[in-house]
Coordinates of all heavy atoms in Angstrom, one line a residue:
V140 N 85.6 92.2 154.4 CA 86.4 93.3 154.7 C 87.0 93.2 156.1 O 88.2 93.4 156.3 CB 85.7 94.6 154.5 CG1 86.5 95.9 155.0 CG2 85.3 94.8 153.0
K141 N 86.1 92.9 157.0 CA 86.6 92.6 158.4 C 87.6 91.6 158.5 O 88.6 91.7 159.2 CB 85.4 92.4 159.4 CG 85.9 92.4 160.8 CD 84.7 92.2 161.8 CE 85.3 92.2 163.2 NZ 84.3 91.9 164.3
R142 N 87.3 90.5 157.8 CA 88.3 89.4 157.9 C 89.7 89.8 157.3 O 90.7 89.5 157.9 CB 87.8 88.2 157.0 CG 88.6 86.9 157.2 CD 88.0 85.7 156.5 NE 86.7 85.5 157.0 CZ 85.7 85.0 156.2 NH1 85.9 84.6 155.0 NH2 84.5 84.7 156.7
G143 N 89.7 90.6 156.3 CA 90.9 91.1 155.7 C 91.7 92.0 156.6 O 92.9 91.9 156.8
L144 N 90.9 92.8 157.4 CA 91.5 93.7 158.3 C 92.1 93.0 159.5 O 93.2 93.3 160.1 CB 90.5 94.8 158.8 CG 90.0 95.8 157.8 CD1 88.9 96.7 158.3 CD2 91.3 96.7 157.4
D145 N 91.4 92.0 159.9 CA 91.8 91.1 161.0 C 93.2 90.5 160.7 O 94.1 90.4 161.5 CB 90.8 90.0 161.3 CG 91.1 89.4 162.7 OD1 91.1 90.1 163.7 OD2 91.3 88.2 162.8
S146 N 93.4 89.9 159.5 CA 94.6 89.3 159.1 C 95.7 90.4 159.0 O 96.8 90.1 159.3 CB 94.5 88.4 157.9 OG 94.4 89.2 156.8
L147 N 95.3 91.6 158.5 CA 96.3 92.7 158.5 C 96.8 93.1 159.9 O 98.0 93.2 160.2 CB 95.7 93.9 157.8 CG 96.5 95.2 157.8 CD1 97.7 95.0 156.9 CD2 95.7 96.4 157.4
Y148 N 95.8 93.0 160.8 CA 96.2 93.4 162.2 C 97.3 92.4 162.8 O 98.2 92.8 163.4 CB 95.0 93.4 163.1 CG 95.3 93.9 164.5 CD1 95.2 95.2 164.8 CD2 95.7 93.0 165.6 CE1 95.5 95.8 166.1 CE2 95.9 93.5 166.8 CZ 95.9 94.9 167.1 OH 96.1 95.4 168.4
R149 N 97.0 91.1 162.4 CA 97.9 90.1 162.9 C 99.3 90.2 162.4 O 100.3 90.0 163.0 CB 97.4 88.7 162.6 CG 96.2 88.3 163.6 CD 96.0 86.8 163.6 NE 95.5 86.4 162.3 CZ 94.1 86.3 162.0 NH1 93.3 86.7 162.9 NH2 93.7 85.9 160.8
K150 N 99.4 90.6 161.1 CA 100.7 90.9 160.4 C 101.4 92.0 161.1 O 102.6 92.0 161.4 CB 100.4 91.2 158.9 CG 101.7 91.1 158.1 CD 101.6 91.4 156.6 CE 100.3 91.5 155.8 NZ 100.4 91.9 154.5
V151 N 100.6 93.1 161.4 CA 101.3 94.3 161.9 C 101.7 94.0 163.4 O 102.8 94.4 163.9 CB 100.2 95.5 161.9 CG1 100.8 96.7 162.8 CG2 100.0 95.9 160.5
E152 N 100.8 93.3 164.1 CA 101.1 92.8 165.5 C 102.5 92.1 165.5 O 103.2 92.3 166.5 CB 100.0 92.0 166.0 CG 99.9 91.8 167.5 CD 98.7 91.0 167.9 OE1 98.2 90.2 167.2 OE2 98.3 91.3 169.1
K153 N 102.6 91.2 164.6 CA 103.9 90.4 164.5 C 105.1 91.3 164.4 O 106.1 91.2 165.0 CB 103.9 89.4 163.4 CG 103.3 88.1 163.8 CD 103.6 87.1 162.7 CE 102.6 85.9 162.8 NZ 101.7 85.8 161.7
H154 N 105.0 92.3 163.5 CA 106.1 93.3 163.3 C 106.3 94.1 164.6 O 107.5 94.4 164.9 CB 105.7 94.3 162.2 CG 105.7 93.7 160.9 ND1 105.2 94.4 159.8 CD2 106.1 92.5 160.4 CE1 105.3 93.6 158.8 NE2 105.9 92.5 159.1
L155 N 105.3 94.5 165.3 CA 105.4 95.5 166.3 C 105.1 95.0 167.7 O 104.8 95.7 168.6 CB 104.4 96.6 166.1 CG 104.5 97.4 164.7 CD1 103.2 98.3 164.6 CD2 105.7 98.1 164.6
C156 N 105.3 93.6 167.9 CA 105.0 93.1 169.2 C 105.6 93.7 170.4 O 105.0 93.8 171.4 CB 105.1 91.5 169.2 SG 106.9 91.1 168.8
E157 N 106.9 94.1 170.2 CA 107.5 94.8 171.4 C 106.9 96.1 171.7 O 106.9 96.5 172.9 CB 109.0 94.9 171.1 CG 109.8 93.7 170.7 CD 109.6 92.6 171.8 OE1 110.0 92.9 173.0 OE2 109.2 91.5 171.5
E158 N 106.5 96.8 170.7 CA 106.1 98.2 170.8 C 104.5 98.4 171.0 O 103.9 98.7 170.0 CB 106.5 99.0 169.6 CG 107.6 99.9 169.6 CD 107.8 100.8 170.9 OE1 106.8 101.2 171.4 OE2 108.9 101.0 171.3
E159 N 104.0 98.1 172.1 CA 102.5 98.2 172.3 C 102.0 99.5 171.8 O 101.0 99.6 171.1 CB 102.2 98.0 173.8 CG 100.8 98.0 174.1 CD 99.9 97.0 173.4 OE1 100.5 95.8 173.2 OE2 98.8 97.3 173.0
N160 N 102.7 100.6 172.3 CA 102.3 102.0 171.9 C 102.2 102.2 170.4 O 101.4 102.8 169.9 CB 103.3 102.9 172.6 CG 102.8 104.1 173.1 OD1 101.5 104.4 173.0 ND2 103.5 104.9 173.8
L161 N 103.3 101.8 169.7 CA 103.4 102.0 168.3 C 102.3 101.2 167.5 O 101.8 101.6 166.5 CB 104.9 101.6 167.9 CG 105.3 102.0 166.5 CD1 105.0 103.5 166.3 CD2 106.8 101.7 166.3
L162 N 102.0 100.0 168.0 CA 101.0 99.2 167.4 C 99.7 100.0 167.3 O 99.0 100.1 166.3 CB 100.8 97.9 168.1 CG 99.6 97.0 167.6 CD1 99.8 96.6 166.2 CD2 99.5 95.7 168.5
Q163 N 99.3 100.6 168.4 CA 98.1 101.5 168.5 C 98.1 102.7 167.4 O 97.2 103.0 166.7 CB 97.8 102.0 169.8 CG 97.4 100.9 170.9 CD 97.5 101.4 172.3 OE1 97.9 102.5 172.5 NE2 97.0 100.6 173.2
V164 N 99.4 103.3 167.4 CA 99.5 104.4 166.5 C 99.4 104.0 165.1 O 98.7 104.6 164.2 CB 100.9 105.0 166.8 CG1 101.3 106.0 165.7 CG2 101.0 105.7 168.1
V165 N 100.0 102.9 164.7 CA 100.0 102.3 163.3 C 98.6 101.9 163.0 O 98.1 102.2 161.9 CB 101.0 101.2 163.2 CG1 100.7 100.4 161.8 CG2 102.4 101.6 163.2
W166 N 97.9 101.3 163.9 CA 96.5 100.8 163.6 C 95.6 102.0 163.4 O 94.7 101.9 162.5 CB 96.0 99.9 164.8 CG 94.8 99.1 164.5 CD1 93.6 99.2 165.2 CD2 94.6 98.2 163.4 NE1 92.7 98.3 164.6 CE2 93.3 97.7 163.5 CE3 95.4 97.8 162.3 CZ2 92.7 96.8 162.6 CZ3 94.8 96.9 161.4 CH2 93.6 96.4 161.6
R167 N 95.7 103.1 164.2 CA 95.0 104.3 164.0 C 95.2 104.9 162.6 O 94.3 105.3 161.9 CB 95.3 105.3 165.1 CG 94.7 106.7 165.0 CD 93.1 106.7 165.0 NE 92.5 105.9 166.1 CZ 92.3 106.3 167.4 NH1 92.6 107.6 167.6 NH2 91.7 105.6 168.2
A168 N 96.5 104.9 162.3 CA 96.9 105.5 161.0 C 96.3 104.7 159.8 O 95.9 105.2 158.8 CB 98.4 105.5 160.8
M169 N 96.2 103.4 160.0 CA 95.7 102.5 158.9 C 94.2 102.7 158.9 O 93.5 102.7 157.8 CB 95.9 101.0 159.2 CG 97.4 100.7 158.9 SD 97.8 99.0 159.2 CE 99.4 98.9 158.4
Q170 N 93.5 103.0 160.0 CA 92.1 103.2 160.1 C 91.8 104.5 159.3 O 90.9 104.6 158.4 CB 91.6 103.4 161.5 CG 90.2 103.9 161.6 CD 89.8 104.0 163.1 OE1 89.7 103.1 163.8 NE2 89.4 105.2 163.5
E171 N 92.6 105.6 159.5 CA 92.5 106.8 158.8 C 92.7 106.7 157.3 O 91.9 107.2 156.5 CB 93.4 107.8 159.3 CG 93.0 108.5 160.7 CD 94.1 109.3 161.4 OE1 95.0 109.7 160.7 OE2 93.9 109.4 162.6
E172 N 93.6 105.9 156.9 CA 93.9 105.7 155.5 C 92.8 104.9 154.9 O 92.3 105.2 153.7 CB 95.2 104.8 155.4 CG 95.5 104.4 154.0 CD 95.7 105.5 153.0 OE1 96.1 106.6 153.4 OE2 95.4 105.2 151.8
F173 N 92.2 103.9 155.6 CA 91.1 103.2 155.0 C 89.9 104.1 154.8 O 89.1 104.0 153.8 CB 90.7 102.0 155.9 CG 89.7 101.0 155.3 CD1 89.8 100.8 154.0 CD2 88.9 100.2 156.1 CE1 88.9 99.8 153.4 CE2 88.1 99.3 155.6 CZ 88.0 99.1 154.2
I174 N 89.6 104.9 155.8 CA 88.5 105.9 155.7 C 88.6 106.9 154.6 O 87.7 107.2 153.8 CB 88.2 106.6 157.0 CG1 87.7 105.6 158.1 CG2 87.3 107.8 156.9 CD1 87.6 106.1 159.5
T175 N 89.9 107.3 154.3 CA 90.2 108.2 153.2 C 89.8 107.5 151.9 O 89.2 108.0 151.1 CB 91.7 108.6 153.2 OG1 91.9 109.3 154.4 CG2 92.0 109.5 152.1
Q176 N 90.3 106.2 151.8 CA 90.0 105.4 150.6 C 88.5 105.2 150.3 O 87.9 105.4 149.3 CB 90.7 104.1 150.5 CG 92.2 104.2 150.4 CD 92.9 102.9 150.4 OE1 92.4 101.8 150.1 NE2 94.2 102.9 150.8
Y177 N 87.8 104.9 151.5 CA 86.4 104.7 151.5 C 85.6 106.0 151.0 O 84.7 105.9 150.1 CB 85.9 104.3 152.9 CG 84.4 104.1 153.0 CD1 83.9 102.8 152.8 CD2 83.6 105.2 153.3 CE1 82.5 102.6 152.9 CE2 82.2 105.0 153.4 CZ 81.6 103.7 153.2 OH 80.3 103.4 153.3
K178 N 86.0 107.1 151.5 CA 85.4 108.4 151.1 C 85.6 108.7 149.7 O 84.7 109.2 149.0 CB 85.9 109.6 152.0 CG 85.3 109.6 153.4 CD 85.9 110.7 154.3 CE 85.3 110.8 155.6 NZ 86.0 111.8 156.5
Y179 N 86.8 108.4 149.2 CA 87.1 108.7 147.8 C 86.1 107.8 146.9 O 85.6 108.3 145.9 CB 88.6 108.3 147.6 CG 89.0 108.1 146.2 CD1 89.3 109.2 145.3 CD2 89.1 106.8 145.7 CE1 89.7 109.0 144.0 CE2 89.6 106.6 144.3 CZ 89.8 107.7 143.5 OH 90.2 107.5 142.2

């Protein structure tokens, strides 16, 4: 699971490399989405 998340982060980082701030926002949103799926 961690390995999968790591490769996801790299993909998102490539998309958002200019936007340091936005990368953190997106990563936090992905964390919340994952926790929602986990709780379900």
Side-chain angles (χ1 to χ4, degrees):
V140 170
K141 186 176 181 186
R142 190 176 300 150
L144 290 172
D145 195 60
S146 75
L147 176 68
Y148 188 89
R149 282 197 295 271
K150 196 184 340 179
V151 173
E152 196 177 28
K153 271 191 199 113
H154 289 168
L155 303 174
C156 56
E157 302 303 305
E158 251 325 320
E159 182 57 41
N160 219 354
L161 194 50
L162 176 59
Q163 291 167 355
V164 171
V165 167
W166 194 237
R167 173 62 49 87
M169 287 184 167
Q170 174 180 296
E171 283 168 18
E172 174 59 28
F173 194 29
I174 289 172
T175 300
Q176 291 182 24
Y177 179 92
K178 285 178 173 170
Y179 163 80

